[in-house]
Every structure is written in C-alpha cells, then in structure tokens.
Amino acid sequence: MAFFDSLAALPVSQSIGESLNLFNALDVVHVVGVLLLAGSIAVVDLRLLGLVFPEVGLDTLQKQVLPLTILGALLAIPSGIGLFLPQAGRIWENPVLQAKALLLVLAALNIGYWHYNFSRHAQWRSAPALPWQARFAGASSLLLWAATLVAGRLIAFYI
C-alpha cells in the first residue's frame, strides 16, 4: 500500500486530482480510447464467430482494424494510468479494480492464444467458416472485454 500511496503523492498525481478539467479530459480520452480498442477487437471477434464479414479474410480484416486498436491502446492506457494516479492508494484496494486488472490480463492472454494459433494455420486466413478454436477465442474475447468494460465502469461506484 505504501507504494500506491507514494504514487498518489506524486506532483503529477496531485495536479490531476486537483484539476477538474484535467481529470475530465483524461476521462474523455480514456473513453474514446476504450471505444476504439474494444470496438476494433469486437469486429475481429465477431468475424471469428462468423457473424460479420464472412467474405473478408481474417488477415485482411486484422490489418484494417489494427491501426484503430493501436490508437485505442495508446489513448486508453496512459489516460487510465492518469485517472488511477490521484487515488492510487485508495483505488488499488478496490476489488472491482482488481477484477478489471485480472480481466485485462486474461483478455491479453486470449489475444496471445489466438495469434499463436492463427499464425500456425494459414488456411484460416481466408476461410469463411472457422473451426471451434477460432470461435472459442472470439467468444472468450467478447466476454472478457465486455466484463472488463463493466468492471471499469463500476470502479467509481466502489471507491
């Protein structure tokens, strides 16, 4: 806890916490980043499930949405850290934040699992119907990201 209290005591943390405009700006940037990140991932997940764009190859779709995914991450991660810092000591004890952190790790592992399997199966790149492993990865990703979004929204209610 001393580590998180020291984070909250940093000058940048205090500046964010004391400035209504800076905190609100970070919140807006975070929401936009999360929308881009989760939205672009959801498009690929829905394709994995066979619900959208069956005529578009996975490799093509992933290349098209990857810039949005990266932009979303570049907006969401630093702004999320900025939102966390002013109350780091108090928020870290929040079980909803801990759940969100765990869900983010699981979502990242799921992405790693998918990319590891995708790179080994070239025939999946253009197949309209994908095997169960791809559908499982897509469904798992959708559930993990949805749960992460819900947990992120609930953090403020459990401070």
Side-chain angles (χ1 to χ4, degrees), residues 15-33:
S15 294
I16 294 168
E18 293 169 1
S19 170
L20 182 61
N21 293 331
L22 184 54
F23 190 87
N24 287 340
L26 283 171
D27 197 26
V28 169
V29 169
H30 190 67
V31 168
V32 170

Side-chain angles (χ1 to χ4, degrees), residues 2-132:
F3 171 73
F4 295 107
D5 288 335
S6 66
L7 287 178
L10 292 172
V12 67
S13 304
Q14 291 178 353
S15 294
I16 294 168
E18 293 169 1
S19 170
L20 182 61
N21 293 331
L22 184 54
F23 190 87
N24 287 340
L26 283 171
D27 197 26
V28 169
V29 169
H30 190 67
V31 168
V32 170
V34 167
L35 287 171
L36 289 170
L37 178 65
S40 61
I41 290 171
V43 169
V44 175
D45 293 340
L46 291 170
R47 170 61 179 93
L48 292 174
L49 289 168
L51 299 175
V52 298
F53 310 123
E55 70 284 354
V56 179
L58 275 171
D59 54 347
T60 302
L61 183 63
Q62 287 180 321
K63 286 177 189 172
Q64 289 175 343
V65 300
L66 184 61
L68 294 174
T69 307
I70 291 170
L71 177 60
L74 290 173
L75 292 173
I77 294 168
S79 61
I81 291 168
L83 293 169
F84 170 76
L85 284 175
Q87 301 178 39
R90 212 170 77 193
I91 279 186
W92 182 250
E93 293 180 335
N94 185 333
V96 181
L97 175 82
Q98 294 171 3
K100 179 183 176 180
L102 176 62
L103 289 163
L104 281 170
V105 169
L106 292 174
L109 289 172
N110 187 63
I111 290 170
Y113 164 81
W114 163 247
H115 283 286
Y116 173 75
N117 279 305
F118 179 69
S119 65
R120 293 186 0 208
H121 300 284
Q123 70 273 17
W124 291 5
R125 294 177 189 197
S126 59
L130 297 168
W132 72 268

